């Protein structure tokens, strides 16, 4: 049921299999490196999935057997540098993509096998959940290229794995394996590679079966918790909670519990 079109030519595309939506990196010959055109398409494709009422969870994956994504297309960056295009900032095209991902109103999951490096690792970091194959490995490599990394990107890494682990990853630029990534909180689950897709789909369906309003309230409140107390919007938090309490889904949840059946949430 979850087959992906082998004839798809687009380097990045979406596929809808409600309640799940997929964003697929499709440059296996380039280890799913993300070029400027793909970064430009990213926000628009994500918005398509986010606006579809039948899609409850969005999953990111890479085509092929070796890579989630090796990150930014270094050959393209080198060509721009060789052309003396000093007006081009290699980090600028990623900003809109990461902002869109951070603000996404639907839960997001990265399904990671093989290589998850640089910009690919940054995409995974900006999703809500990360599930990895046992062959996955991770690295943050700006120090191998002489790049300065944006504040928001480092902030996200610190939020997810802590300052000590972020320091290790950025200063050494070393690769870490899936078990190391699990230990520091870079991923949430590790599975044998052959079982990765099935485990990801099962996790996604688990999330999709829960109340969307409750999930949105929790994710937005977690974002507020990461702010300093003086910057938190306590009024908005109270409203998100009230929206859940006043919803039809809350009534359905109570009825389903009383009737000892699975609830059917409708996001209303």
């Amino acid at each position: 049921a979850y087959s992906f079109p082998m004839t798809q030519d687009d380097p990045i595309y979406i596929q809808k299999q409600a309640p799940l939506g997929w964003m697929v990196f499709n440059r296996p010959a380039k280890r799913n490196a993300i070029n400027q055109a793909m970064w430009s398409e990213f926000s628009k494709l994500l918005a398509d999935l986010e606006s579809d009422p039948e899609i409850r969870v969005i999953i990111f994956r890479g085509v092929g057997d070796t890579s989630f994504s090796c990150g930014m297309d270094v050959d393209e960056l080198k060509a721009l540098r060789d052309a003396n295009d000093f007006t081009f900032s290699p980090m600028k095209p990623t900003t809109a993509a990461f902002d869109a991902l951070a603000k996404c109103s639907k839960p997001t999951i990265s399904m990671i096998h093989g290589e998850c490096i640089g910009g690919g690792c940054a995409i995974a970091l900006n999703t809500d959940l990360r599930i990895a194959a046992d062959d996955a490995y991770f690295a943050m490599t700006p120090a191998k290229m002489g790049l300065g990394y944006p504040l928001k990107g480092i902030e996200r890494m610190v939020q997810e794995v802590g300052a000590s682990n972020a320091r290790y990853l950025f200063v050494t630029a070393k690769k870490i394996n899936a078990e190391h990534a699990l230990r520091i909180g870079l991923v949430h689950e590790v599975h044998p590679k052959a079982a990765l897709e099935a485990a990801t789909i099962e996790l996604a369906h688990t999330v999709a079966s829960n109340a969307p309003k409750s999930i949105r309230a929790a994710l937005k409140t977690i974002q507020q918790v990461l702010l300093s107390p003086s910057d938190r919007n306590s009024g908005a938090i109270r409203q998100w909670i009230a929206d859940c309490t006043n919803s039809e889904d809350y009534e359905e949840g109570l009825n389903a519990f009383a009737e000892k059946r699975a609830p059917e949430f409708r996001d209303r």
Side-chain angles (χ1 to χ4, degrees):
Y2 288 84
S3 59
F4 287 80
M6 300 304 292
T7 56
Q8 174 67 256
D9 292 327
D10 293 332
I12 182 170
Y13 65 90
I14 59 175
Q15 186 158 343
K16 298 178 180 181
Q17 294 161 327
L20 311 185
W22 301 78
M23 187 179 291
V24 185
F25 308 125
N26 184 33
R27 297 181 79 201
K30 283 278 196 177
R31 296 149 49 216
N32 295 322
I34 303 173
N35 60 23
Q36 305 309 305
M38 292 167 70
W39 285 118
S40 297
E41 284 289 295
F42 189 101
S43 300
K44 182 175 74 174
L45 294 173
L46 182 61
D48 187 328
L49 291 172
E50 189 177 4
S51 64
D52 189 326
E54 294 191 356
I55 300 300
R56 293 275 185 96
V57 179
I58 300 169
I59 307 170
F60 295 79
R61 69 175 293 166
V63 168
D65 196 48
T66 61
S67 184
F68 174 77
S69 173
C70 68
M72 298 182 76
D73 188 331
V74 177
D75 291 336
E76 184 181 61
L77 295 181
K78 188 175 187 308
L80 288 165
R81 183 73 176 193
D82 289 347
N84 293 319
D85 184 356
F86 293 105
T87 63
F88 174 74
S89 168
M91 294 301 178
K92 189 175 181 180
T94 69
T95 302
F98 293 142
D99 282 349
L101 196 45
K103 294 173 184 174
C104 185
S105 62
K106 294 182 176 177
T108 53
I109 300 175
S110 289
M111 185 184 107
I112 304 163
H113 70 282
E115 196 171 24
C116 186
I117 305 293
C121 189
I123 288 171
L125 269 174
N126 278 279
T127 58
D128 298 310
L129 301 175
R130 296 171 292 279
I131 184 167
D134 53 11
D135 75 333
Y137 59 95
F138 305 79
M140 293 304 293
T141 53
K144 287 187 178 293
M145 297 178 61
L147 284 173
Y149 208 72
L151 171 63
K152 280 190 176 181
I154 290 183
E155 179 182 56
R156 181 67 179 179
M157 179 68 84
V158 171
Q159 289 171 347
E160 295 297 289
V161 304
S164 177
N165 291 310
R167 194 178 300 117
Y168 178 87
L169 289 167
F170 278 104
V171 170
T172 69
K174 287 178 65 173
K175 295 175 183 177
I176 64 170
N177 63 23
E179 288 302 323
H180 188 162
L182 180 65
R183 191 165 64 247
I184 66 174
L186 187 55
V187 300
H188 298 93
E189 297 181 11
V190 175
H191 296 271
K193 187 170 185 176
L196 177 65
E197 183 176 74
T200 303
I201 290 168
E202 180 182 6
L203 178 67
H205 276 292
T206 297
V207 175
S209 70
N210 291 330
K213 286 181 182 293
S214 296
I215 290 172
R216 281 196 298 274
L219 291 176
K220 290 194 288 190
T221 302
I222 289 168
Q223 288 180 333
Q224 292 287 313
V225 169
L226 295 172
L227 301 174
S228 64
S230 61
D231 292 333
R232 293 174 191 163
N233 189 336
S234 56
I237 295 169
R238 286 193 296 272
Q239 186 59 55
W240 300 330
I241 295 169
D243 287 344
C244 293
T245 306
N246 297 326
S247 70
E248 292 179 20
D249 279 351
Y250 177 50
E251 184 177 2
E252 165 63 10
L254 291 174
N255 290 337
F257 182 82
E259 296 164 13
K260 297 181 169 57
R261 61 174 174 81
E264 295 185 14
F265 295 118
R266 302 184 186 280
D267 197 12
R268 57 191 189 204

